[in-house]
Amino acid sequence: MPAWHELPETTQLTLAREAIRRAVETVAGQAEQLAEEIEAGALADRGGPDALRLFAALVREVNGTRTVTGHA
């Protein structure tokens, strides 16, 4: 496997975009999971589920990975 700086720029960009896409999905997924935990009563509900789902939707929208799930 070549070193990062040895990869063509197009390959670097493709890999970087995929890493960002995966990071966005991880963060958004964790926000949705936390919203479910609040709804299940594991944590105090102070308006968190809707805020977390909104955050997840915004992160996905900004990064072009929006999928419609849940309430948001």
Side-chain angles (χ1 to χ4, degrees):
M1 175 91 123
W4 179 260
H5 66 279
E6 296 173 345
L7 294 173
E9 185 176 336
T10 55
T11 302
Q12 289 178 1
L13 289 171
T14 299
L15 291 171
R17 284 186 188 114
E18 178 60 18
I20 290 170
R21 187 196 66 75
R22 287 184 183 199
V24 164
E25 191 51 43
T26 297
V27 169
Q30 288 176 342
E32 289 176 339
Q33 187 176 16
L34 184 55
E36 291 171 11
E37 291 290 326
I38 292 170
E39 287 179 332
L43 299 168
D45 182 356
R46 296 187 177 110
D50 290 336
L52 288 164
R53 287 192 179 95
L54 177 59
F55 171 73
L58 287 172
V59 167
R60 287 181 175 130
E61 185 70 30
V62 166
N63 288 284
T65 60
R66 181 167 173 82
T67 57
V68 179
T69 59
H71 299 91

